[in-house]
Amino acid sequence: MQTLKHVYISEIGKYEGQDVCLKGWLYNKRSSGKLHFLQVRDGTGIIQAVVFKGDVSPEAFEMAGRIQQESSIEVYGTVKEDKRSPIGFEIGVKDLKLIGEALEYPITPKEHGVAFLLEHRHLWLRSPRQLAIMKIRHNIIKTIRDYFNNNNFLLVDAPIFTPAACEGTTNLFETEYFDEKAYLTQSGQLYMEAAAMAFGKVYCFGPTFRAEKSKTRRHLTEFWMVEPEMAYYDLKMDMDLAEDFVETIVQSVVANNRAELEVLERDISKLENIKKPFPRISYDEAIEILKSKGKEIQWGEDFGGDEETVISEQFDRPVMIHRYPAECKAFYMKQDPESPKHALCVDMIAPEGYGEIIGGGQREDNLDLLLGKIKEHKLNQEAFEWYLDLRRYGSVPHAGFGLGIERTVGWLCGLHHVRETIPFPRMMERIKP
RNA sequence: UCCCCGGUAGCUCAAUGGCAGAGCAUUCGGCUGUUAACCGAAGGGUUGUAAGUUCGAAUCUUACCCGGGGAGCCA
């Protein structure tokens, strides 16, 4: 028995009629006198293993009736087609081996509260819903890497420890670095600008940290961001890239994660519809939309979650809002030569209220204008000398953007909160497990 | 940091001033086709912590702790 071939549940259909070995965990169990129905999962799927008293040893039958949820087991038996099975097959068990017993597993098939599940995140990950989310996250990350690899981008890893803030220190995590202070990165962008001047088209992909005391469904203190940066790109080229990039990601999920989207009860038609071109409106046009919808907002104010939602509801695909007032954007944004009060920046707002998934734009490439911005924002010029060097030695127009992985996963999965989009979420009130 | 809501059995919840309850989980018994299986029985409680009001507090008051939702800020 124990020499039988180990197969995964996702490939069980290839072995109909054959005797195989499954290695997994007991997901759920139902018993009926001389029958035990074991729901076995192995990370690739769930299959029902039927243990009939007459087919196995008395010891194996007794064990099948005794073991509890999430005990690890090896199942030896025959693959049988069965119309009653959700996956079309079940296993007629011939023998069973208990690998690791689980007693009183805390997460039952019934409902649980958010706090309880987050405290047991290390176990919660075993549930079919979390597995579906993690598979979609995996495919999104794979698609992102493939996209840049196929379009002549060079991966350049940005540092996690940084010497100073790039946009003010209030929302940075501070840490000791030998005899000085260091901060955890909030963006790799400035380093990507240096890399773009060296290699042309580059991207970084890594964790990012924000010490903001935000308690909302869209915020984590540690999240992953992918940041492409391109030399000789202007704002329009930047938006074209962002649009093509997001369409590629969404259509990859639609094509490759249909089963997972169904587990999550996602409305797939809304994702199938995410095709180029995406609507593009200026900040000034967005203000007009908001005013026509009865929002009280003045030119120069940045948009909050409410405003983003109102605008996104006007469209059935992501909307790109460009040329915000320079005063509400970061110092490195290039001012619009045709309207110096505006910055050549763009935010992409996901539909269905999922908020901003991309922020980016063209960078200020003129040394004197950039020096002026650093003074206006009361930043320490000395800390930015290396960054200013990029404008002193062969400055060129360049642009880039950052895409938040968790918000993208949350949108595509149709989740209520980004905390489920990352294996171990870090939030203002939670750092365990 | 501010505003709102919550904390009762391992879990999800009920009990709104008068005996601390149910479903699931666990234990025991029954059932050869169950699909969050079902049927019967049992065990399981410092009602977040501290103080106060009251003949009597899970319930009312105050403070604190913990968590959730939202705002600001952001991806």
Side-chain angles (χ1 to χ4, degrees):
Chain A
M1 271 298 162
Q2 305 202 357
T3 58
L4 287 172
K5 181 179 169 67
H6 170 213
V7 302
Y8 287 97
I9 294 167
S10 59
E11 304 196 314
I12 203 77
K14 296 179 190 167
Y15 299 92
E16 196 202 336
Q18 299 180 40
D19 284 0
V20 299
C21 167
L22 295 178
K23 300 186 180 197
W25 294 261
L26 182 65
Y27 175 66
N28 200 2
K29 182 179 70 175
R30 288 177 281 274
S31 293
S32 179
K34 293 175 183 168
L35 274 173
H36 296 302
F37 300 98
L38 308 181
Q39 262 61 49
V40 179
R41 62 166 194 87
D42 71 352
T44 72
I46 294 176
I47 193 168
Q48 176 160 276
V50 182
V51 188
F52 175 49
K53 195 168 189 175
D55 291 345
V56 298
S57 69
E59 294 76 24
F61 187 79
E62 185 274 332
M63 191 264 280
R66 187 184 76 239
I67 56 172
Q68 297 178 21
Q69 192 189 353
E70 287 303 320
S71 293
S72 46
I73 50 175
E74 289 181 10
V75 178
Y76 311 93
T78 312
V79 180
K80 296 175 178 171
E81 192 169 1
D82 194 298
K83 287 181 186 131
R84 291 165 293 193
S85 163
I87 62 167
F89 297 92
E90 58 182 32
I91 297 281
V93 177
K94 293 185 170 176
D95 198 10
L96 276 173
K97 185 178 176 188
L98 178 61
I99 305 300
E101 190 168 23
L103 295 174
E104 303 204 36
Y105 185 70
I107 301 179
T108 68
K110 293 278 182 176
E111 56 198 80
H112 297 281
V114 170
F116 178 81
L117 289 170
L118 284 171
E119 277 159 26
H120 296 84
R121 182 61 172 170
H122 52 296
L123 302 177
W124 188 20
L125 289 172
R126 301 182 184 192
S127 74
R129 174 184 165 85
Q130 299 308 312
L131 182 62
I133 294 168
M134 290 306 136
K135 283 186 174 175
I136 291 174
R137 178 185 173 99
H138 169 85
N139 183 44
I140 288 171
I141 291 171
K142 177 182 184 297
T143 304
I144 287 169
R145 293 198 178 279
D146 288 348
Y147 183 89
F148 289 126
N149 289 341
N150 295 338
N151 285 282
N152 296 315
F153 280 74
L154 187 72
L155 173 66
V156 178
D157 299 310
I160 305 284
F161 286 129
T162 59
C166 49
E167 306 169 32
T169 53
T170 52
N171 54 1
L172 289 177
F173 285 105
E174 191 179 300
T175 184
E176 284 178 25
Y177 194 78
F178 303 108
D179 294 333
E180 26 180 345
K181 285 177 181 171
Y183 304 89
L184 301 187
T185 182
Q186 64 176 176
S187 165
Q189 183 206 313
L190 302 190
Y191 297 99
M192 288 307 101
E193 290 187 51
M197 298 304 126
F199 307 115
K201 293 199 291 187
V202 299
Y203 76 103
C204 66
F205 192 174
T208 303
F209 307 89
R210 302 273 167 96
E212 288 151 5
K213 296 198 171 178
S214 299
K215 291 181 63 171
T216 81
R217 69 182 72 173
R218 300 187 306 279
H219 288 88
L220 298 169
T221 54
E222 177 181 320
F223 65 98
W224 285 65
M225 189 155 65
V226 57
E227 295 174 278
E229 189 75 28
M230 298 75 64
Y232 292 104
Y233 263 52
D234 63 13
L235 178 64
K236 180 180 180 304
M237 297 163 78
D238 198 35
M239 290 198 285
D240 290 346
L241 179 74
E243 178 184 65
D244 189 61
F245 179 57
V246 171
E247 181 195 65
T248 302
I249 293 169
V250 177
Q251 293 311 318
S252 171
V253 169
V254 169
N256 299 306
N257 295 114
R258 192 159 288 266
E260 287 78 26
L261 292 170
E262 281 167 6
V263 167
L264 298 168
E265 299 178 332
R266 183 68 166 102
D267 184 345
I268 298 174
S269 68
K270 286 205 165 109
L271 299 181
E272 286 171 333
N273 195 39
I274 307 298
K275 294 274 181 66
K276 293 194 291 187
F278 296 172
R280 301 180 184 196
I281 61 173
S282 68
Y283 171 89
D284 292 12
E285 288 167 329
I287 288 283
E288 290 309 310
I289 291 173
L290 289 168
K291 283 184 173 167
S292 76
K293 298 290 168 188
K295 283 272 168 191
E296 286 185 21
I297 188 161
Q298 300 300 313
W299 192 95
E301 290 177 48
D302 205 352
F303 300 147
D306 280 358
E307 287 81 14
E308 284 178 359
T309 301
V310 168
I311 294 167
S312 74
E313 279 169 353
Q314 309 305 307
F315 305 98
D316 62 353
R317 56 197 76 190
V319 53
M320 288 190 275
I321 305 174
H322 54 83
R323 293 179 172 80
Y324 282 68
E327 63 198 68
C328 56
K329 287 290 172 182
F331 76 95
Y332 48 72
M333 297 288 188
K334 184 174 180 61
Q335 71 176 41
D336 186 348
E338 294 171 14
S339 172
K341 286 167 73 177
H342 291 89
L344 292 176
C345 63
V346 59
D347 285 353
M348 187 187 291
I349 315 295
E352 302 175 68
Y354 282 94
E356 184 182 344
I357 52 169
I358 279 181
Q362 195 171 338
R363 320 307 187 186
E364 185 53 76
D365 50 72
N366 179 286
L367 178 63
D368 293 331
L369 290 174
L370 188 58
L371 278 167
K373 285 287 172 60
I374 286 175
K375 288 202 179 74
E376 270 176 43
H377 285 77
K378 294 176 181 155
L379 298 169
N380 175 13
Q381 186 183 323
E382 198 182 346
F384 291 97
E385 283 300 327
W386 70 268
Y387 185 67
L388 292 164
D389 271 355
L390 305 176
R391 279 70 183 170
R392 293 184 180 114
Y393 304 107
S395 187
V396 301
H398 62 291
F401 61 82
L403 174 121
I405 299 302
E406 285 72 22
R407 286 191 184 174
T408 303
V409 176
W411 164 41
L412 299 183
C413 291
L415 303 181
H416 175 69
H417 197 299
V418 290
R419 65 189 159 211
E420 281 186 90
T421 65
I422 188 167
F424 295 95
R426 293 292 172 254
M427 292 174 289
M428 181 182 153
E429 303 285 3
R430 188 174 294 282
I431 194 171
K432 290 189 269 188

